[in-house]
Amino acid sequence: MNIIMIRGYLIEKYNNMGKSYTCYRLLEEAEKLGIDLKLIGASDSYIAEDGIYNQGKLLEKRDFVILRYKGDLLRKEMASLGSVCFNSEEAYGIYINKYEQVRRLHSDDFIIPRYMMGTCEIGYETIARRLGRIFVIKGLESSMGREIWLIGSADEYAIWELKQKKDKEFLFEEFIKDSVGIDMRLFCVCGEVIGAMKRISGGDFRTNVALGATTEKLEITDEFRRIGRDLYEQTGLQAMGIDLLYGKVKPYFCEVNVMPGIQGMESTTGVNVAGRLMEVVADTMKERENQTERE
């Protein structure tokens, strides 16, 4: 496949992230397809009355945007730099929030853990009565293992509470003891699970590869395929990581990642994730062009 004259932006945090694995691979696969993909750092950009600037240069509109930046207003404005956004800014803005995930998503093939959402002022005993004496606390938009805490006593909660802003909201979830230090990551592209792996931590209850977890390739089961289709139908996310916890009867839902890294999945499974993602971009833009010609 050779696509000519498709131009897009890869929106990341900084301009100089071209050597980070995920950015490098997306840029590499875009070039193979003849796609002009330019990396733009949101933190190196600003909005003025006449447009969006990056390092002092006014950014022109392009055909598409690949969104990999978590900010709020900057993210929304930079998504408008393309006629198509992968993932859509609306879906991205909803499902980056862990509370929105657990309250909106469902599948017959996984269980949603019991949860609460509120500030640290709920208090340990109130949470423990609903979720058990041991529970997990998550920042609503945390990633890569940041802002995730395992609380096992009132004293631990009191120490944690002292470090938090009183009006900041968190997701509180029951602790799934069958999945301590292990979980499953699926990589889903337009509803198709193209890769699956088991993540094993080195003693931490968190299993993020960024924190040093090791990985093993998993077979893509019918159960995984159904979960991928279910969550794609509900979210519309063209690319997402789906994290599942091990359970006795069926998996527990952990979270959806709207901007998943691809290094662990590619190295573990051998799947060309970046190539598949860029093919989706190319096919989508080609279909839009054909539709315009028909009209």
Side-chain angles (χ1 to χ4, degrees):
M1 182 187 301
N2 188 32
I3 307 297
I4 306 298
M5 296 304 294
I6 295 178
R7 302 163 68 241
Y9 291 119
L10 173 58
I11 308 297
E12 257 289 1
K13 189 171 185 179
Y14 300 112
N15 283 359
N16 64 359
M17 292 182 66
K19 292 185 179 180
S20 69
Y21 185 89
T22 298
C23 291
Y24 172 80
R25 288 286 294 120
L26 290 172
L27 293 166
E28 180 180 49
E29 293 297 327
E31 184 177 5
K32 290 179 182 178
L33 293 173
I35 297 174
D36 177 9
L37 183 61
K38 183 176 182 180
L39 174 62
I40 294 294
S43 294
D44 298 311
S45 304
Y46 61 86
I47 301 168
E49 67 276 4
D50 57 340
I52 303 173
Y53 285 79
N54 180 263
Q55 292 190 329
K57 295 182 179 179
L58 181 65
L59 295 177
E60 61 180 345
K61 297 270 187 176
R62 289 195 163 204
D63 300 307
F64 69 90
V65 165
I66 297 175
L67 201 54
R68 290 190 53 81
Y69 174 68
K70 286 175 60 176
D72 187 15
L73 293 177
L74 261 176
R75 182 193 75 231
K76 293 176 182 177
E77 291 298 322
M78 297 189 83
S80 69
L81 287 169
S83 58
V84 182
C85 187
F86 303 90
N87 289 303
S88 79
E89 196 285 320
E90 180 181 6
Y92 192 105
I94 293 171
Y95 293 105
I96 200 170
N97 186 293
K98 290 179 171 55
Y99 170 64
E100 294 293 351
Q101 293 178 20
V102 295
R103 83 178 188 90
R104 289 172 181 259
L105 302 181
H106 57 87
S107 173
D108 290 338
D109 289 289
F110 61 62
I111 301 168
I112 297 288
R114 289 175 293 146
Y115 66 88
M116 302 167 63
M117 194 276 286
T119 71
C120 63
E121 296 192 282
I122 294 175
Y124 175 81
E125 292 300 332
T126 299
I127 300 169
R129 280 195 295 271
R130 296 188 67 92
L131 305 183
R133 308 298 293 181
I134 303 174
F135 53 84
V136 175
I137 305 174
K138 299 178 180 180
L140 296 186
E141 296 186 2
S142 61
S143 61
M144 300 178 70
R146 303 185 188 99
E147 287 198 333
I148 301 180
W149 300 270
L150 180 62
I151 301 296
S153 68
D155 288 343
E156 288 180 5
Y157 188 87
I159 293 170
W160 171 82
E161 183 180 3
L162 286 173
K163 300 175 183 178
Q164 310 309 318
K165 295 180 180 179
K166 298 303 181 184
D167 60 349
K168 184 171 181 177
E169 296 167 338
F170 296 92
L171 181 67
F172 304 86
E173 288 187 339
E174 68 172 307
F175 177 56
I176 308 301
K177 63 181 181 180
D178 293 319
S179 201
V180 177
I182 55 173
D183 74 357
M184 296 167 274
R185 160 62 66 91
L186 316 181
F187 204 104
C188 185
V189 178
C190 294
E192 178 189 359
V193 175
I194 64 171
M197 64 184 183
K198 180 179 181 179
R199 301 187 296 188
I200 308 114
S201 76
D204 197 319
F205 80 99
R206 299 167 297 177
T207 57
N208 303 80
V209 173
L211 297 179
T214 58
T215 60
E216 297 176 3
K217 183 178 179 179
L218 291 175
E219 177 187 355
I220 300 175
T221 64
D222 289 341
E223 177 184 56
F224 289 167
R225 292 186 181 96
R226 289 192 298 267
I227 289 172
R229 289 194 297 268
D230 286 345
L231 296 193
Y232 177 60
E233 289 174 1
Q234 293 165 40
T235 66
L237 293 167
Q238 297 109 324
M240 60 179 154
I242 302 170
D243 294 344
L244 302 170
L245 304 176
Y246 286 88
K248 286 187 170 64
V249 178
K250 61 177 71 173
Y252 282 84
F253 176 81
C254 180
E255 65 183 49
V256 161
N257 191 321
V258 300
M259 43 179 269
I262 65 174
Q263 183 171 8
M265 188 61 69
E266 287 199 334
S267 63
T268 302
T269 66
V271 174
N272 183 354
V273 177
R276 183 72 182 92
L277 292 173
M278 293 314 305
E279 285 175 0
V280 168
V281 172
D283 291 344
T284 300
M285 300 313 300
K286 184 176 181 180
E287 176 58 30
R288 284 176 63 89
E289 181 181 351
N290 291 340
Q291 184 177 353
T292 300
E293 290 176 355
R294 289 194 296 268
E295 293 174 352

mmCIF file with all atom_site columns, all heavy atoms in Angstrom, residues 70-92:
data_model
loop_
_atom_site.group_PDB
_atom_site.id
_atom_site.type_symbol
_atom_site.label_atom_id
_atom_site.label_alt_id
_atom_site.label_comp_id
_atom_site.label_asym_id
_atom_site.label_entity_id
_atom_site.label_seq_id
_atom_site.pdbx_PDB_ins_code
_atom_site.Cartn_x
_atom_site.Cartn_y
_atom_site.Cartn_z
_atom_site.occupancy
_atom_site.B_iso_or_equiv
_atom_site.pdbx_formal_charge
_atom_site.auth_seq_id
_atom_site.auth_comp_id
_atom_site.auth_asym_id
_atom_site.auth_atom_id
_atom_site.pdbx_PDB_model_num
ATOM 1   N N   . LYS A 1 70 ? -2.478  14.270 27.138 1.00 0.00 ? 70 LYS A N   1
ATOM 2   C CA  . LYS A 1 70 ? -3.562  14.165 28.112 1.00 0.00 ? 70 LYS A CA  1
ATOM 3   C C   . LYS A 1 70 ? -4.190  15.494 28.509 1.00 0.00 ? 70 LYS A C   1
ATOM 4   O O   . LYS A 1 70 ? -5.222  15.497 29.168 1.00 0.00 ? 70 LYS A O   1
ATOM 5   C CB  . LYS A 1 70 ? -3.033  13.497 29.388 1.00 0.00 ? 70 LYS A CB  1
ATOM 6   C CG  . LYS A 1 70 ? -2.791  12.027 29.258 1.00 0.00 ? 70 LYS A CG  1
ATOM 7   C CD  . LYS A 1 70 ? -2.149  11.471 30.505 1.00 0.00 ? 70 LYS A CD  1
ATOM 8   C CE  . LYS A 1 70 ? -3.011  11.676 31.726 1.00 0.00 ? 70 LYS A CE  1
ATOM 9   N NZ  . LYS A 1 70 ? -2.429  11.048 32.930 1.00 0.00 ? 70 LYS A NZ  1
ATOM 10  N N   . GLY A 1 71 ? -3.601  16.624 28.157 1.00 0.00 ? 71 GLY A N   1
ATOM 11  C CA  . GLY A 1 71 ? -4.094  17.903 28.651 1.00 0.00 ? 71 GLY A CA  1
ATOM 12  C C   . GLY A 1 71 ? -5.567  18.142 28.350 1.00 0.00 ? 71 GLY A C   1
ATOM 13  O O   . GLY A 1 71 ? -6.243  17.302 27.777 1.00 0.00 ? 71 GLY A O   1
ATOM 14  N N   . ASP A 1 72 ? -6.066  19.284 28.697 1.00 0.00 ? 72 ASP A N   1
ATOM 15  C CA  . ASP A 1 72 ? -7.494  19.559 28.546 1.00 0.00 ? 72 ASP A CA  1
ATOM 16  C C   . ASP A 1 72 ? -7.750  20.503 27.373 1.00 0.00 ? 72 ASP A C   1
ATOM 17  O O   . ASP A 1 72 ? -8.014  20.066 26.248 1.00 0.00 ? 72 ASP A O   1
ATOM 18  C CB  . ASP A 1 72 ? -8.040  20.131 29.847 1.00 0.00 ? 72 ASP A CB  1
ATOM 19  C CG  . ASP A 1 72 ? -9.555  20.287 29.820 1.00 0.00 ? 72 ASP A CG  1
ATOM 20  O OD1 . ASP A 1 72 ? -10.205 19.707 28.925 1.00 0.00 ? 72 ASP A OD1 1
ATOM 21  O OD2 . ASP A 1 72 ? -10.090 20.994 30.687 1.00 0.00 ? 72 ASP A OD2 1
ATOM 22  N N   . LEU A 1 73 ? -7.664  21.805 27.595 1.00 0.00 ? 73 LEU A N   1
ATOM 23  C CA  . LEU A 1 73 ? -7.997  22.764 26.541 1.00 0.00 ? 73 LEU A CA  1
ATOM 24  C C   . LEU A 1 73 ? -7.024  22.689 25.370 1.00 0.00 ? 73 LEU A C   1
ATOM 25  O O   . LEU A 1 73 ? -7.432  22.756 24.203 1.00 0.00 ? 73 LEU A O   1
ATOM 26  C CB  . LEU A 1 73 ? -8.035  24.184 27.117 1.00 0.00 ? 73 LEU A CB  1
ATOM 27  C CG  . LEU A 1 73 ? -9.165  24.451 28.118 1.00 0.00 ? 73 LEU A CG  1
ATOM 28  C CD1 . LEU A 1 73 ? -9.068  25.870 28.670 1.00 0.00 ? 73 LEU A CD1 1
ATOM 29  C CD2 . LEU A 1 73 ? -10.524 24.232 27.473 1.00 0.00 ? 73 LEU A CD2 1
ATOM 30  N N   . LEU A 1 74 ? -5.731  22.548 25.656 1.00 0.00 ? 74 LEU A N   1
ATOM 31  C CA  . LEU A 1 74 ? -4.758  22.403 24.571 1.00 0.00 ? 74 LEU A CA  1
ATOM 32  C C   . LEU A 1 74 ? -5.067  21.165 23.733 1.00 0.00 ? 74 LEU A C   1
ATOM 33  O O   . LEU A 1 74 ? -4.992  21.194 22.504 1.00 0.00 ? 74 LEU A O   1
ATOM 34  C CB  . LEU A 1 74 ? -3.340  22.306 25.133 1.00 0.00 ? 74 LEU A CB  1
ATOM 35  C CG  . LEU A 1 74 ? -2.474  23.567 25.126 1.00 0.00 ? 74 LEU A CG  1
ATOM 36  C CD1 . LEU A 1 74 ? -1.145  23.291 25.799 1.00 0.00 ? 74 LEU A CD1 1
ATOM 37  C CD2 . LEU A 1 74 ? -2.256  24.096 23.717 1.00 0.00 ? 74 LEU A CD2 1
ATOM 38  N N   . ARG A 1 75 ? -5.410  20.068 24.407 1.00 0.00 ? 75 ARG A N   1
ATOM 39  C CA  . ARG A 1 75 ? -5.738  18.840 23.683 1.00 0.00 ? 75 ARG A CA  1
ATOM 40  C C   . ARG A 1 75 ? -6.921  19.060 22.748 1.00 0.00 ? 75 ARG A C   1
ATOM 41  O O   . ARG A 1 75 ? -6.895  18.665 21.581 1.00 0.00 ? 75 ARG A O   1
ATOM 42  C CB  . ARG A 1 75 ? -6.066  17.724 24.673 1.00 0.00 ? 75 ARG A CB  1
ATOM 43  C CG  . ARG A 1 75 ? -6.367  16.380 24.007 1.00 0.00 ? 75 ARG A CG  1
ATOM 44  C CD  . ARG A 1 75 ? -6.993  15.396 24.967 1.00 0.00 ? 75 ARG A CD  1
ATOM 45  N NE  . ARG A 1 75 ? -8.386  15.705 25.233 1.00 0.00 ? 75 ARG A NE  1
ATOM 46  C CZ  . ARG A 1 75 ? -8.914  15.811 26.442 1.00 0.00 ? 75 ARG A CZ  1
ATOM 47  N NH1 . ARG A 1 75 ? -8.167  15.665 27.512 1.00 0.00 ? 75 ARG A NH1 1
ATOM 48  N NH2 . ARG A 1 75 ? -10.204 16.081 26.590 1.00 0.00 ? 75 ARG A NH2 1
ATOM 49  N N   . LYS A 1 76 ? -7.961  19.700 23.256 1.00 0.00 ? 76 LYS A N   1
ATOM 50  C CA  . LYS A 1 76 ? -9.160  19.920 22.450 1.00 0.00 ? 76 LYS A CA  1
ATOM 51  C C   . LYS A 1 76 ? -8.867  20.789 21.240 1.00 0.00 ? 76 LYS A C   1
ATOM 52  O O   . LYS A 1 76 ? -9.345  20.518 20.132 1.00 0.00 ? 76 LYS A O   1
ATOM 53  C CB  . LYS A 1 76 ? -10.247 20.559 23.314 1.00 0.00 ? 76 LYS A CB  1
ATOM 54  C CG  . LYS A 1 76 ? -10.779 19.642 24.401 1.00 0.00 ? 76 LYS A CG  1
ATOM 55  C CD  . LYS A 1 76 ? -11.776 20.362 25.296 1.00 0.00 ? 76 LYS A CD  1
ATOM 56  C CE  . LYS A 1 76 ? -12.264 19.447 26.416 1.00 0.00 ? 76 LYS A CE  1
ATOM 57  N NZ  . LYS A 1 76 ? -13.182 20.144 27.339 1.00 0.00 ? 76 LYS A NZ  1
ATOM 58  N N   . GLU A 1 77 ? -8.087  21.841 21.440 1.00 0.00 ? 77 GLU A N   1
ATOM 59  C CA  . GLU A 1 77 ? -7.779  22.736 20.322 1.00 0.00 ? 77 GLU A CA  1
ATOM 60  C C   . GLU A 1 77 ? -6.863  22.061 19.306 1.00 0.00 ? 77 GLU A C   1
ATOM 61  O O   . GLU A 1 77 ? -7.048  22.205 18.097 1.00 0.00 ? 77 GLU A O   1
ATOM 62  C CB  . GLU A 1 77 ? -7.139  24.022 20.849 1.00 0.00 ? 77 GLU A CB  1
ATOM 63  C CG  . GLU A 1 77 ? -8.087  24.910 21.636 1.00 0.00 ? 77 GLU A CG  1
ATOM 64  C CD  . GLU A 1 77 ? -9.257  25.396 20.800 1.00 0.00 ? 77 GLU A CD  1
ATOM 65  O OE1 . GLU A 1 77 ? -9.061  25.707 19.608 1.00 0.00 ? 77 GLU A OE1 1
ATOM 66  O OE2 . GLU A 1 77 ? -10.378 25.452 21.334 1.00 0.00 ? 77 GLU A OE2 1
ATOM 67  N N   . MET A 1 78 ? -5.880  21.315 19.787 1.00 0.00 ? 78 MET A N   1
ATOM 68  C CA  . MET A 1 78 ? -4.937  20.683 18.862 1.00 0.00 ? 78 MET A CA  1
ATOM 69  C C   . MET A 1 78 ? -5.597  19.549 18.084 1.00 0.00 ? 78 MET A C   1
ATOM 70  O O   . MET A 1 78 ? -5.198  19.246 16.961 1.00 0.00 ? 78 MET A O   1
ATOM 71  C CB  . MET A 1 78 ? -3.702  20.202 19.616 1.00 0.00 ? 78 MET A CB  1
ATOM 72  C CG  . MET A 1 78 ? -2.936  21.355 20.253 1.00 0.00 ? 78 MET A CG  1
ATOM 73  S SD  . MET A 1 78 ? -1.339  20.910 20.929 1.00 0.00 ? 78 MET A SD  1
ATOM 74  C CE  . MET A 1 78 ? -0.324  20.979 19.455 1.00 0.00 ? 78 MET A CE  1
ATOM 75  N N   . ALA A 1 79 ? -6.621  18.943 18.652 1.00 0.00 ? 79 ALA A N   1
ATOM 76  C CA  . ALA A 1 79 ? -7.364  17.914 17.918 1.00 0.00 ? 79 ALA A CA  1
ATOM 77  C C   . ALA A 1 79 ? -8.032  18.498 16.679 1.00 0.00 ? 79 ALA A C   1
ATOM 78  O O   . ALA A 1 79 ? -8.261  17.792 15.692 1.00 0.00 ? 79 ALA A O   1
ATOM 79  C CB  . ALA A 1 79 ? -8.406  17.272 18.827 1.00 0.00 ? 79 ALA A CB  1
ATOM 80  N N   . SER A 1 80 ? -8.330  19.796 16.716 1.00 0.00 ? 80 SER A N   1
ATOM 81  C CA  . SER A 1 80 ? -9.007  20.444 15.590 1.00 0.00 ? 80 SER A CA  1
ATOM 82  C C   . SER A 1 80 ? -8.058  20.747 14.434 1.00 0.00 ? 80 SER A C   1
ATOM 83  O O   . SER A 1 80 ? -8.496  21.232 13.387 1.00 0.00 ? 80 SER A O   1
ATOM 84  C CB  . SER A 1 80 ? -9.669  21.746 16.056 1.00 0.00 ? 80 SER A CB  1
ATOM 85  O OG  . SER A 1 80 ? -8.688  22.721 16.388 1.00 0.00 ? 80 SER A OG  1
ATOM 86  N N   . LEU A 1 81 ? -6.771  20.441 14.591 1.00 0.00 ? 81 LEU A N   1
ATOM 87  C CA  . LEU A 1 81 ? -5.807  20.682 13.516 1.00 0.00 ? 81 LEU A CA  1
ATOM 88  C C   . LEU A 1 81 ? -5.963  19.698 12.358 1.00 0.00 ? 81 LEU A C   1
ATOM 89  O O   . LEU A 1 81 ? -5.368  19.883 11.302 1.00 0.00 ? 81 LEU A O   1
ATOM 90  C CB  . LEU A 1 81 ? -4.376  20.607 14.062 1.00 0.00 ? 81 LEU A CB  1
ATOM 91  C CG  . LEU A 1 81 ? -3.928  21.792 14.924 1.00 0.00 ? 81 LEU A CG  1
ATOM 92  C CD1 . LEU A 1 81 ? -2.605  21.477 15.613 1.00 0.00 ? 81 LEU A CD1 1
ATOM 93  C CD2 . LEU A 1 81 ? -3.807  23.059 14.085 1.00 0.00 ? 81 LEU A CD2 1
ATOM 94  N N   . GLY A 1 82 ? -6.738  18.643 12.562 1.00 0.00 ? 82 GLY A N   1
ATOM 95  C CA  . GLY A 1 82 ? -6.983  17.679 11.495 1.00 0.00 ? 82 GLY A CA  1
ATOM 96  C C   . GLY A 1 82 ? -8.469  17.479 11.279 1.00 0.00 ? 82 GLY A C   1
ATOM 97  O O   . GLY A 1 82 ? -9.271  17.674 12.193 1.00 0.00 ? 82 GLY A O   1
ATOM 98  N N   . SER A 1 83 ? -8.835  17.070 10.070 1.00 0.00 ? 83 SER A N   1
ATOM 99  C CA  . SER A 1 83 ? -10.249 16.806 9.802  1.00 0.00 ? 83 SER A CA  1
ATOM 100 C C   . SER A 1 83 ? -10.707 15.515 10.465 1.00 0.00 ? 83 SER A C   1
ATOM 101 O O   . SER A 1 83 ? -11.903 15.307 10.678 1.00 0.00 ? 83 SER A O   1
ATOM 102 C CB  . SER A 1 83 ? -10.499 16.739 8.289  1.00 0.00 ? 83 SER A CB  1
ATOM 103 O OG  . SER A 1 83 ? -9.701  15.735 7.687  1.00 0.00 ? 83 SER A OG  1
ATOM 104 N N   . VAL A 1 84 ? -9.760  14.630 10.796 1.00 0.00 ? 84 VAL A N   1
ATOM 105 C CA  . VAL A 1 84 ? -10.048 13.391 11.512 1.00 0.00 ? 84 VAL A CA  1
ATOM 106 C C   . VAL A 1 84 ? -9.068  13.273 12.663 1.00 0.00 ? 84 VAL A C   1
ATOM 107 O O   . VAL A 1 84 ? -7.889  13.618 12.521 1.00 0.00 ? 84 VAL A O   1
ATOM 108 C CB  . VAL A 1 84 ? -9.922  12.151 10.599 1.00 0.00 ? 84 VAL A CB  1
ATOM 109 C CG1 . VAL A 1 84 ? -10.267 10.882 11.369 1.00 0.00 ? 84 VAL A CG1 1
ATOM 110 C CG2 . VAL A 1 84 ? -10.805 12.283 9.377  1.00 0.00 ? 84 VAL A CG2 1
ATOM 111 N N   . CYS A 1 85 ? -9.552  12.785 13.802 1.00 0.00 ? 85 CYS A N   1
ATOM 112 C CA  . CYS A 1 85 ? -8.701  12.630 14.981 1.00 0.00 ? 85 CYS A CA  1
ATOM 113 C C   . CYS A 1 85 ? -8.720  11.172 15.422 1.00 0.00 ? 85 CYS A C   1
ATOM 114 O O   . CYS A 1 85 ? -9.778  10.562 15.551 1.00 0.00 ? 85 CYS A O   1
ATOM 115 C CB  . CYS A 1 85 ? -9.202  13.536 16.112 1.00 0.00 ? 85 CYS A CB  1
ATOM 116 S SG  . CYS A 1 85 ? -8.116  13.585 17.549 1.00 0.00 ? 85 CYS A SG  1
ATOM 117 N N   . PHE A 1 86 ? -7.548  10.602 15.636 1.00 0.00 ? 86 PHE A N   1
ATOM 118 C CA  . PHE A 1 86 ? -7.383  9.227  16.120 1.00 0.00 ? 86 PHE A CA  1
ATOM 119 C C   . PHE A 1 86 ? -6.700  9.288  17.497 1.00 0.00 ? 86 PHE A C   1
ATOM 120 O O   . PHE A 1 86 ? -5.577  9.752  17.587 1.00 0.00 ? 86 PHE A O   1
ATOM 121 C CB  . PHE A 1 86 ? -6.500  8.420  15.171 1.00 0.00 ? 86 PHE A CB  1
ATOM 122 C CG  . PHE A 1 86 ? -6.971  8.365  13.748 1.00 0.00 ? 86 PHE A CG  1
ATOM 123 C CD1 . PHE A 1 86 ? -6.562  9.331  12.830 1.00 0.00 ? 86 PHE A CD1 1
ATOM 124 C CD2 . PHE A 1 86 ? -7.812  7.359  13.318 1.00 0.00 ? 86 PHE A CD2 1
ATOM 125 C CE1 . PHE A 1 86 ? -6.989  9.276  11.511 1.00 0.00 ? 86 PHE A CE1 1
ATOM 126 C CE2 . PHE A 1 86 ? -8.237  7.297  12.001 1.00 0.00 ? 86 PHE A CE2 1
ATOM 127 C CZ  . PHE A 1 86 ? -7.829  8.257  11.094 1.00 0.00 ? 86 PHE A CZ  1
ATOM 128 N N   . ASN A 1 87 ? -7.337  8.875  18.573 1.00 0.00 ? 87 ASN A N   1
ATOM 129 C CA  . ASN A 1 87 ? -8.748  8.591  18.750 1.00 0.00 ? 87 ASN A CA  1
ATOM 130 C C   . ASN A 1 87 ? -9.547  9.894  18.688 1.00 0.00 ? 87 ASN A C   1
ATOM 131 O O   . ASN A 1 87 ? -8.964  10.972 18.810 1.00 0.00 ? 87 ASN A O   1
ATOM 132 C CB  . ASN A 1 87 ? -8.965  7.924  20.111 1.00 0.00 ? 87 ASN A CB  1
ATOM 133 C CG  . ASN A 1 87 ? -8.443  6.498  20.165 1.00 0.00 ? 87 ASN A CG  1
ATOM 134 O OD1 . ASN A 1 87 ? -8.834  5.658  19.375 1.00 0.00 ? 87 ASN A OD1 1
ATOM 135 N ND2 . ASN A 1 87 ? -7.546  6.231  21.117 1.00 0.00 ? 87 ASN A ND2 1
ATOM 136 N N   . SER A 1 88 ? -10.863 9.795  18.533 1.00 0.00 ? 88 SER A N   1
ATOM 137 C CA  . SER A 1 88 ? -11.658 11.009 18.499 1.00 0.00 ? 88 SER A CA  1
ATOM 138 C C   . SER A 1 88 ? -11.477 11.769 19.806 1.00 0.00 ? 88 SER A C   1
ATOM 139 O O   . SER A 1 88 ? -11.357 11.168 20.878 1.00 0.00 ? 88 SER A O   1
ATOM 140 C CB  . SER A 1 88 ? -13.138 10.687 18.280 1.00 0.00 ? 88 SER A CB  1
ATOM 141 O OG  . SER A 1 88 ? -13.753 10.261 19.474 1.00 0.00 ? 88 SER A OG  1
ATOM 142 N N   . GLU A 1 89 ? -11.452 13.091 19.722 1.00 0.00 ? 89 GLU A N   1
ATOM 143 C CA  . GLU A 1 89 ? -11.225 13.897 20.925 1.00 0.00 ? 89 GLU A CA  1
ATOM 144 C C   . GLU A 1 89 ? -12.332 13.671 21.948 1.00 0.00 ? 89 GLU A C   1
ATOM 145 O O   . GLU A 1 89 ? -12.080 13.627 23.156 1.00 0.00 ? 89 GLU A O   1
ATOM 146 C CB  . GLU A 1 89 ? -11.132 15.377 20.548 1.00 0.00 ? 89 GLU A CB  1
ATOM 147 C CG  . GLU A 1 89 ? -10.521 16.263 21.624 1.00 0.00 ? 89 GLU A CG  1
ATOM 148 C CD  . GLU A 1 89 ? -11.461 16.542 22.782 1.00 0.00 ? 89 GLU A CD  1
ATOM 149 O OE1 . GLU A 1 89 ? -12.659 16.763 22.520 1.00 0.00 ? 89 GLU A OE1 1
ATOM 150 O OE2 . GLU A 1 89 ? -11.008 16.532 23.950 1.00 0.00 ? 89 GLU A OE2 1
ATOM 151 N N   . GLU A 1 90 ? -13.561 13.505 21.478 1.00 0.00 ? 90 GLU A N   1
ATOM 152 C CA  . GLU A 1 90 ? -14.681 13.297 22.398 1.00 0.00 ? 90 GLU A CA  1
ATOM 153 C C   . GLU A 1 90 ? -14.511 12.007 23.192 1.00 0.00 ? 90 GLU A C   1
ATOM 154 O O   . GLU A 1 90 ? -14.626 11.990 24.424 1.00 0.00 ? 90 GLU A O   1
ATOM 155 C CB  . GLU A 1 90 ? -16.004 13.263 21.630 1.00 0.00 ? 90 GLU A CB  1
ATOM 156 C CG  . GLU A 1 90 ? -17.213 13.059 22.527 1.00 0.00 ? 90 GLU A CG  1
ATOM 157 C CD  . GLU A 1 90 ? -18.523 13.009 21.760 1.00 0.00 ? 90 GLU A CD  1
ATOM 158 O OE1 . GLU A 1 90 ? -18.481 13.025 20.510 1.00 0.00 ? 90 GLU A OE1 1
ATOM 159 O OE2 . GLU A 1 90 ? -19.583 12.940 22.403 1.00 0.00 ? 90 GLU A OE2 1
ATOM 160 N N   . ALA A 1 91 ? -14.224 10.899 22.476 1.00 0.00 ? 91 ALA A N   1
ATOM 161 C CA  . ALA A 1 91 ? -14.040 9.619  23.159 1.00 0.00 ? 91 ALA A CA  1
ATOM 162 C C   . ALA A 1 91 ? -12.813 9.656  24.054 1.00 0.00 ? 91 ALA A C   1
ATOM 163 O O   . ALA A 1 91 ? -12.820 9.143  25.179 1.00 0.00 ? 91 ALA A O   1
ATOM 164 C CB  . ALA A 1 91 ? -13.922 8.496  22.134 1.00 0.00 ? 91 ALA A CB  1
ATOM 165 N N   . TYR A 1 92 ? -11.750 10.266 23.563 1.00 0.00 ? 92 TYR A N   1
ATOM 166 C CA  . TYR A 1 92 ? -10.513 10.401 24.333 1.00 0.00 ? 92 TYR A CA  1
ATOM 167 C C   . TYR A 1 92 ? -10.793 11.126 25.645 1.00 0.00 ? 92 TYR A C   1
ATOM 168 O O   . TYR A 1 92 ? -10.370 10.697 26.724 1.00 0.00 ? 92 TYR A O   1
ATOM 169 C CB  . TYR A 1 92 ? -9.507  11.171 23.490 1.00 0.00 ? 92 TYR A CB  1
ATOM 170 C CG  . TYR A 1 92 ? -8.079  11.169 23.978 1.00 0.00 ? 92 TYR A CG  1
ATOM 171 C CD1 . TYR A 1 92 ? -7.115  10.402 23.344 1.00 0.00 ? 92 TYR A CD1 1
ATOM 172 C CD2 . TYR A 1 92 ? -7.678  11.966 25.041 1.00 0.00 ? 92 TYR A CD2 1
ATOM 173 C CE1 . TYR A 1 92 ? -5.785  10.418 23.759 1.00 0.00 ? 92 TYR A CE1 1
ATOM 174 C CE2 . TYR A 1 92 ? -6.362  11.991 25.466 1.00 0.00 ? 92 TYR A CE2 1
ATOM 175 C CZ  . TYR A 1 92 ? -5.423  11.214 24.822 1.00 0.00 ? 92 TYR A CZ  1
ATOM 176 O OH  . TYR A 1 92 ? -4.119  11.235 25.244 1.00 0.00 ? 92 TYR A OH  1
#
